[in-house]
Amino acid sequence: MTMRKILIVLAIIVVQWGCKSSMETTGAVTEQDQPLNVILMIGDGMGVPQISTAFYFDDRSANFERFKSIGFHKSASVSHWITDSAAGATAFAIGEKTYKRAIGVSKDTLPKETILERLQKKGYRTGLISLTAITHATPASFYAHVKDRDMQEDIAEQLVTADIDFLAGGGKKFFNQHADQRNLFKELEGRSYHLDTLALSTPMAQKKNAFIIADDGLPSKVDGRGAFLKEATTNALNYFDGLNEPFFMMVEGSYIDWGGHAENADMVVTEVRDFDETLGVVLDYAEQHPNTLVIVTADHETGGVSVGKYYEKDAETGKQVEVPQKVGVYFNTDQHSGELIPVFAKGRGAENFQGIYENNMIYHHILKSMEAHR
């Protein structure tokens, strides 16, 4: 090969290497370079014992096993060591601790921008899914600003103008039975929402969607709710996928908490199973979309639950005997507890959620993950 040919070959190699390097650093956008989707799943009232039931009451493997990055948060509010859902979710939403019963406000009752509102300003689409009223404490903390969680008509009014792209849950009475005779459903439709108050129908691709299908909360699993949480989450993910824009979505498994308050073991077990099945859908999506961060946690634990030996009465002796291949779910209280709460994370930035920290740091860990992967 002549010197001229050698120089030409070397030049081609240099150009190809330069193009590849440029694409990797400043050129074509890969999926890893895209803005980070964030899916925050909150199992209301779900501590380690509740999660443990997913490993004993199903033949399949729990989707919780798919996580490698795990931490714990400290759930206390500024007013009470034992928090409630309002203060707990608000800490996630605004990045600072507040008082018990507060919704989207500081400890001094000042409205604070939520992570949902912050990301909307950055061009993010947003979604909220709950099994309770969509105006209930956990979902409300991401878009509303009121001094007390029971101000649900005020919260509903704020939802109308919150411009959330996908809504699914209950709470019809706070929209169509308003004390001042306002029909907030008509106002939502006036803001170009596709509204369904009867069923979880197919979302309309180029409109905002609101599925508010129960007067208050939906039924529990033991009362026949069906697969609403899984189906609503699947519909939301398909909807956001079609928009091809970054999104933030919060999904609440609400009735794990209610099972603890009722000291109802079957309710706890079935609600955790339902949450875990929905988690499987979310994790499958995240694995197919590398620009996605999934965080799973709870606002607090409810019931002081423990998982221990299971006993049955022996037919011959009448004595209580242990059943080796069964476990029992036991309650220490019908109220919230002060347990450390697990945090599971998967996807880009998951390493930021390891360790033990205050609950409001989840907000900051999300932002850190987003900044690191711009």
Side-chain angles (χ1 to χ4, degrees):
M1 183 180 292
T2 66
M3 181 60 68
R4 184 171 181 272
K5 288 183 178 179
I6 292 173
L7 291 173
I8 291 172
V9 170
L10 288 174
I12 291 172
I13 292 173
V14 168
V15 169
Q16 288 178 336
W17 180 87
C19 290
K20 180 182 178 183
S21 177
S22 177
M23 289 178 65
E24 288 176 347
T25 57
T26 60
V29 177
T30 66
E31 192 161 24
Q32 281 292 109
D33 297 320
Q34 294 175 5
L36 189 64
N37 301 321
V38 179
I39 305 172
L40 174 60
M41 297 187 67
I42 300 175
D44 198 321
M46 183 182 72
V48 171
Q50 285 84 349
I51 293 169
S52 299
T53 67
F55 295 83
Y56 289 107
F57 292 94
D58 269 328
D59 292 333
R60 62 174 178 79
S61 297
N63 284 296
F64 283 102
E65 288 193 66
R66 296 165 67 176
F67 290 93
K68 302 300 180 186
S69 295
I70 303 170
F72 287 89
H73 77 69
K74 296 180 278 187
S75 64
S77 72
V78 297
S79 63
H80 294 71
W81 277 2
I82 309 302
T83 194
D84 73 332
S85 296
T90 293
F92 301 155
I94 70 173
E96 62 184 72
K97 286 180 178 285
T98 188
Y99 61 91
K100 191 174 178 180
R101 304 189 66 83
I103 297 289
V105 298
S106 69
K107 62 182 180 181
D108 301 316
T109 71
L110 298 175
K112 302 288 290 188
E113 182 181 65
T114 71
I115 191 165
L116 182 148
E117 293 166 331
R118 178 181 180 131
L119 294 182
Q120 282 180 329
K121 293 177 180 178
K122 294 180 178 292
Y124 271 64
R125 300 300 187 110
T126 53
L128 295 174
I129 299 172
S130 179
L131 300 173
T132 59
I134 202 68
T135 55
H136 207 260
T138 301
S141 296
F142 289 88
Y143 65 85
H145 309 276
V146 295
K147 64 181 180 181
D148 189 275
R149 59 185 289 173
D150 282 348
M151 300 169 66
Q152 292 197 64
E153 288 196 354
D154 297 272
I155 291 169
E157 291 177 11
Q158 293 184 35
L159 180 59
V160 171
T161 57
D163 288 329
I164 298 167
D165 297 281
F166 187 97
L167 297 163
K172 285 196 287 188
K173 68 181 183 182
F174 302 110
F175 294 84
N176 62 6
Q177 299 174 35
H178 217 263
D180 62 5
Q181 306 305 309
R182 286 175 64 183
N183 187 328
L184 299 182
F185 283 148
K186 287 186 177 180
E187 294 184 27
L188 278 171
E189 289 177 321
R191 298 180 71 88
S192 299
Y193 270 87
H194 165 233
L195 174 66
D196 197 327
T197 61
L198 299 176
L200 189 64
S201 54
T202 302
M204 294 187 68
Q206 298 305 319
K207 297 190 74 171
K208 292 180 171 63
N209 292 268
F211 304 98
I212 304 175
I213 65 172
D215 279 342
D216 201 340
L218 280 78
S220 65
K221 286 292 286 186
V222 295
D223 290 328
R225 182 178 68 242
F228 175 89
L229 193 66
K230 182 178 180 179
E231 291 171 0
T233 302
T234 301
N235 285 358
L237 291 173
N238 290 337
Y239 167 74
F240 289 127
D241 222 22
L243 297 175
N244 198 30
E245 295 180 57
F247 66 89
F248 170 88
M249 179 168 68
M250 190 285 295
V251 180
E252 182 193 21
S254 317
Y255 291 140
I256 302 169
D257 171 68
W258 292 41
H261 283 303
E263 299 186 60
N264 185 324
D266 287 341
M267 190 173 181
V268 168
V269 169
T270 55
E271 294 296 339
V272 171
R273 180 187 295 125
D274 185 57
F275 187 84
D276 185 71
E277 289 175 355
T278 305
L279 173 58
V281 170
V282 169
L283 291 177
D284 288 347
Y285 178 89
E287 288 173 1
Q288 295 163 12
H289 300 77
N291 59 312
T292 302
L293 170 64
V294 179
I295 309 110
V296 183
T297 190
D299 41 8
H300 54 75
E301 192 274 344
T302 305
V305 171
S306 64
V307 178
K309 294 180 180 180
Y310 182 84
Y311 294 92
E312 287 182 350
K313 184 181 289 187
D314 185 271
E316 295 182 1
T317 65
K319 294 181 178 180
Q320 294 288 329
V321 294
E322 182 183 354
V323 180
Q325 299 303 317
K326 285 189 176 182
V327 297
V329 176
Y330 303 97
F331 299 89
N332 184 56
T333 179
D334 63 357
Q335 298 299 309
H336 300 171
S337 76
E339 291 187 12
L340 291 180
I341 300 300
V343 184
F344 301 82
K346 188 176 180 67
R348 290 167 49 191
E351 67 280 0
N352 294 318
F353 295 84
Q354 297 174 354
I356 299 176
Y357 39 83
E358 299 292 347
N359 57 357
N360 60 296
M361 290 304 298
I362 287 177
Y363 169 99
H364 299 285
H365 292 331
I366 291 172
L367 294 184
K368 180 179 179 181
S369 300
M370 297 178 73
E371 289 296 320
H373 296 278
R374 284 192 303 176

